[in-house]
Amino acid sequence: MTTINQEQYLGPDEILRKKKEYMIPCVYHFYAQPMQLVKGEMQYLYDHTGKQYLDCFAGVSVVNCGHCHPEITKAVCDQVMTLQHTCTIYLTENIVNLAQRLSKITPGRLQKTFFCSSGTEANEGAALLASIYTGKQEFISLRQGLHGRTKLTMSLTGLSMWRTDTSPVGGISFAPNAYCYRCPYGKRHPECDLACANELETIIKTTTAGQVAAFIAEPIQGNGGIITPPPGYFKRIKEILDKYNILLIIDEIQTGFGRTGKMFGIEHYGVEPDIMTMAKALGNGTPVGAFTARPEIADTYTRPGASTLGGNPVTSAAALATLEVLTKNNLAAQAALLGEYLKQGLTELQKKHPLIGDIRGHGLMLGAEIVKPDKSPATEQLDRMLEEMKNRGFLIGKNGPDRNVMAFQPPLVITRDDLDNLLNNLADVLATMD
């Protein structure tokens, strides 16, 4: 417990009352008995009573460098005290330095960047750029993908719970995702010969008008259930796209910046995107979004365009400091090592508890799918598990179409001792579920 003055805070009940009265109800929260979080410190969060929680979700893959990292916080504070905002109509230094830095770490020939304020904006902008470059308007997305909350990005989303628009954008086709645990073809990898990837060509030829600007995909589908394609999947996808002159947009909004054990998730597959989108962990908690492209693609976007707050001095300072912390401390490599350790621990639990049907992911982006004996989603059981883990001081995510996938996406500064503590408590909770 840390010392916190409870009297200065509203408390969970009053927050829930105000939330119900003043906020649009689509903004929901986890837990039957939620807590009020008031402080963050690296891999830990604290509620208004002073109780400590090990954060195993990182604000959904945002605070990769940890909550309130002192070097990033200092960079933000220093910048706020000198120049907070101007907009891109005036010249400032941080934004171009950040664009240059990104060009050095992004895959292949990606070089020129547009900055905005969220992942949704980044995906919307990437789709626009693809249409400008190709002169085409159709798109292909993956089932169970999530790309945003605007009209177009929601229409590109393949999860029904996030598709609340009653009149989605047309001209979008959906391809099967590489969900090996529940293969839509009833096959197993590698004997399947990547049937899900091969289906893309059939979709291009049968469900589109042949005017496809781009195919958009996450290297690992976060909200879709930590769906992790097998080796060779994206290479086969890229072969098909190149055959039909269709661009590849890779959405790195959850997978980027060390999360998967590499700087970007697509690096696991040895494929160069034509356009790549980023957000979340780039700012380590500061609102940020960006899309970057090869010069010949980027240079076709010449008519005036701006994002009022995109790449502002404070956001860019935060992002530059974040990249420095990530690279200086080699957090991607750390995520790879700790992710393998966590996966081994989960695999040992799986041997004892059939509730864990599948374990997948790379680095510190792992999912454990919770199932009933007939392999059907065990959604209620997972909710009970997460509630009990929260009571024990561990905050774990959940995702998937049926919300039955336990998502482990902690700050990359988590330690092996933290993971041991997590696994020991998870073992206790699983034992009560058998």
Side-chain angles (χ1 to χ4, degrees):
M1 301 281 284
T2 191
T3 303
I4 287 176
N5 180 9
Q6 294 187 44
E7 295 180 358
Q8 66 179 309
Y9 298 108
L10 290 175
D13 291 342
E14 180 61 10
I15 289 176
L16 287 172
R17 185 194 69 78
K18 286 191 173 187
K19 188 171 183 284
K20 184 176 181 180
E21 186 170 355
Y22 298 112
M23 293 183 67
I24 293 175
C26 65
V27 180
Y28 72 105
H29 57 267
F30 276 12
Y31 306 119
Q33 295 182 307
M35 61 288 176
Q36 179 186 354
L37 296 175
V38 300
K39 180 182 177 182
E41 190 173 81
M42 299 305 279
Q43 66 267 47
Y44 301 109
L45 288 166
Y46 300 84
D47 69 16
H48 80 295
T49 71
K51 181 177 179 178
Q52 176 183 281
Y53 301 84
L54 179 64
D55 182 6
C56 299
F57 208 28
V60 194
S61 282
V62 171
V63 286
N64 285 12
C65 295
H67 294 277
C68 303
H69 190 289
E71 293 175 41
I72 300 170
T73 300
K74 183 179 186 303
V76 169
C77 292
D78 288 348
Q79 187 60 56
V80 165
M81 295 296 289
T82 54
L83 180 66
Q84 184 173 355
H85 176 72
T86 61
C87 190
T88 52
I89 58 175
Y90 305 111
L91 298 184
T92 55
E93 188 171 322
N94 286 352
I95 189 171
V96 293
N97 288 343
L98 177 58
Q100 180 184 28
R101 187 71 183 275
L102 286 175
S103 75
K104 304 298 183 185
I105 63 172
T106 48
R109 296 165 290 167
L110 297 176
Q111 180 180 330
K112 296 193 174 185
T113 298
F114 181 101
F115 293 102
C116 46
S117 300
S118 71
T120 292
E121 287 182 78
N123 283 333
E124 185 92 24
L128 173 62
L129 177 58
S131 286
I132 292 171
Y133 176 74
T134 64
K136 301 174 182 177
Q137 305 300 323
E138 291 184 282
F139 293 91
I140 300 175
S141 190
L142 285 178
R143 298 169 193 164
Q144 292 182 223
L146 175 63
H147 299 292
R149 69 185 184 283
T150 56
K151 192 172 186 70
L152 175 57
T153 57
M154 185 180 289
S155 299
L156 288 167
T157 290
L159 283 165
S160 61
M161 69 172 290
W162 295 108
R163 290 174 62 89
T164 55
D165 187 349
T166 57
S167 180
V169 174
I172 298 171
S173 301
F174 287 89
N177 60 343
Y179 194 176
C180 293
Y181 182 63
R182 299 183 187 276
C183 177
Y185 302 99
K187 299 177 182 286
R188 295 178 64 87
H189 184 267
E191 292 81 7
C192 64
D193 192 33
L194 297 172
C196 55
N198 293 330
E199 181 66 14
L200 176 60
E201 185 163 22
T202 302
I203 289 168
I204 293 169
K205 293 193 292 186
T206 62
T207 69
T208 78
Q211 299 298 310
V212 181
F215 170 87
I216 185 170
E218 303 154 275
I220 297 176
Q221 292 182 317
N223 279 269
I226 315 294
I227 304 302
T228 308
Y233 172 82
F234 278 106
K235 283 193 174 181
R236 179 64 184 129
I237 288 290
K238 192 68 167 69
E239 289 172 359
I240 296 170
L241 296 177
D242 288 347
K243 179 179 177 180
Y244 292 91
N245 297 313
I246 297 170
L247 298 183
L248 173 62
I249 300 174
I250 288 296
D251 177 341
E252 291 273 0
I253 289 161
Q254 283 201 38
T255 52
F257 304 102
R259 167 62 51 198
T260 68
K262 295 184 182 293
M263 186 60 76
F264 296 101
I266 197 61
E267 294 179 77
H268 288 279
Y269 298 93
V271 167
E272 178 188 281
D274 298 300
I275 306 173
M276 195 171 81
T277 62
M278 300 160 279
K280 289 184 180 282
L282 174 57
N284 204 60
T286 301
V288 66
F291 58 95
T292 186
R294 299 200 315 268
E296 66 270 24
I297 297 173
D299 287 346
T300 61
Y301 192 169
T302 58
R303 296 185 65 180
S307 171
T308 301
L309 296 172
N312 72 74
V314 176
T315 295
S316 296
L320 285 164
T322 297
L323 294 178
E324 179 64 19
V325 169
L326 283 167
T327 53
K328 180 176 64 176
N329 297 288
N330 206 2
L331 291 185
Q334 182 167 309
L337 290 172
L338 291 176
E340 188 58 36
Y341 185 76
L342 176 56
K343 184 179 282 188
Q344 290 173 2
L346 291 171
T347 301
E348 290 302 311
L349 291 178
Q350 184 185 31
K351 294 175 183 177
K352 302 174 184 177
H353 304 284
L355 261 177
I356 301 178
D358 189 39
I359 299 164
R360 50 188 179 252
H362 291 300
L364 286 173
M365 187 171 183
L366 299 178
E369 183 160 351
I370 307 304
V371 299
K372 298 176 183 177
D374 63 357
K375 200 177 170 181
S376 62
T379 305
E380 293 180 3
Q381 290 90 330
L382 177 57
D383 283 345
R384 295 204 304 272
M385 290 169 60
L386 295 186
E387 195 83 28
E388 179 56 30
M389 289 298 288
K390 178 261 298 179
N391 293 341
R392 289 167 172 255
F394 301 88
L395 305 183
I396 305 171
K398 64 177 178 179
N399 53 38
D402 296 292
R403 314 300 281 169
N404 70 310
V405 179
M406 189 182 305
F408 300 91
Q409 296 166 264
L412 308 187
V413 296
I414 200 168
T415 67
R416 185 171 288 210
D417 286 344
D418 290 326
L419 295 180
D420 284 337
N421 197 15
L422 167 69
L423 289 164
N424 289 336
N425 277 271
L426 185 56
D428 291 342
V429 172
L430 282 165
T432 68
M433 304 293 294
D434 292 339

